């Protein structure tokens, strides 16, 4: 059971805005920065967001991250078919002294 | 552009020790702030962090797997090696190595393509 809880699935139509939540069940990661990774089918994960809301160069500004209390969110605006992928949140758990990943959210573009 | 590539056996038998090598380019693990991590993903399942080694030889391990893992670096060869003892069929997974973004703890900005390891007799 991950200490980071994500909905198993999400969906949207092209052009829509979708959000994916990541809830922390463990207070030991309450202040830890959250990262988000995108994993297209059959490929390695790709860093989308780090330090809660920062984008690496090359990541479109359609992708944005935010954090509020013990939750974090990834928002994708102007949804495109190529956004269909699995999305994972991640954070450092001080109590466990380890990195934890959420269970992943499968995004379907209808 | 930073690149990383994992290499090692594709099949190991239960109880054996797995040794994986990550060969990287365009950064040096002797440079301040640099780090390389290992993450795995069982088929159809979520990502799981395993280990992380920094330029100063600081090493971090997943608490649940710490007793089975060892990570080392060879800066002259630009390689990081992960060993996992007492392999079990539940350890069947794609194993990735990844570059830790300098200055950001546990933030993996470049990943290898991954290598699938199957544990079977």
């Amino acid at each position: 059971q991950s200490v980071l809880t994500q909905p198993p699935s999400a969906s949207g139509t092209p052009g829509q805005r979708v959000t994916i939540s990541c809830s922390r069940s463990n207070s030991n990661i309450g202040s830890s920065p959250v990262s988000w990774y995108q994993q297209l089918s059959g490929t390695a994960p790709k860093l989308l967001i780090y330090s809660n809301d920062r984008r690496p160069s090359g990541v479109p500004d359609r992708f944005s991250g935010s954090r509020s209390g013990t939750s974090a969110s990834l928002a994708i605006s102007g949804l495109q078919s190529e956004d269909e992928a699995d999305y994972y949140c991640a954070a450092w758990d001080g109590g466990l002294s380890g990195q934890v990943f959420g269970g992943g959210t499968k995004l379907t573009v209808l | 552009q930073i690149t990383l590539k994992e290499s090692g056996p594709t099949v190991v038998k239960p109880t054996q020790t797995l040794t994986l090598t990550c060969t990287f380019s365009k950064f040096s693990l002797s440079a301040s702030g640099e780090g390389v991590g290992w993450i795995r993903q069982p088929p159809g399942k979520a990502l799981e962090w395993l280990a992380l080694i920094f330029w100063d030889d600081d090493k971090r391990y997943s608490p649940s797997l710490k007793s089975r893992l060892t990570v080392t670096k060879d800066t002259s060869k630009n390689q990081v090696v992960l060993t996992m003892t007492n392999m079990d069929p539940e350890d069947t997974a794609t194993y990735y190595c990844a570059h830790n973004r300098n200055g950001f703890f546990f933030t993996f900005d470049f990943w290898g393509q991954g290598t699938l390891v199957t544990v079977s007799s």
Side-chain angles (χ1 to χ4, degrees), chain A residues 35 37 39 43-47 50-51 54 56 88 92 96-99 101-103, chain B residues 39 41 45-49 60-61 63 96 101 104-109 111-113:
Chain A
S35 300
Y37 297 87
Q39 187 175 32
T43 69
K46 170 189 174 182
L47 181 64
Y50 67 99
S51 197
R54 300 175 70 164
Y88 293 91
W92 170 256
L96 295 177
S97 294
Q99 170 84 330
F101 286 94
Chain B
I39 303 98
Q41 185 174 36
K45 295 188 178 181
L47 301 168
E48 179 184 20
W49 170 72
R60 307 297 177 98
Y61 296 102
Y96 298 98
R101 190 174 183 92
F104 293 89
F105 206 43
F106 285 89
T107 299
F108 302 112
D109 56 356
W111 294 61
Q113 64 188 25

Side-chain angles (χ1 to χ4, degrees), chain A residues 17-61:
Chain A
R17 181 178 188 270
V18 298
T19 60
I20 298 172
S21 62
C22 175
S23 300
R24 315 173 197 224
S25 59
N26 186 330
S27 62
N28 289 320
I29 57 175
S31 61
S32 174
V34 173
S35 300
W36 289 90
Y37 297 87
Q38 176 194 58
Q39 187 175 32
L40 300 173
S41 181
T43 69
K46 170 189 174 182
L47 181 64
L48 271 187
I49 298 290
Y50 67 99
S51 197
N52 301 318
D53 57 8
R54 300 175 70 164
R55 275 188 313 275
S57 61
V59 174
D61 59 7

Side-chain angles (χ1 to χ4, degrees), chain B residues 86 88 103:
Chain B
N86 195 24
D88 181 271

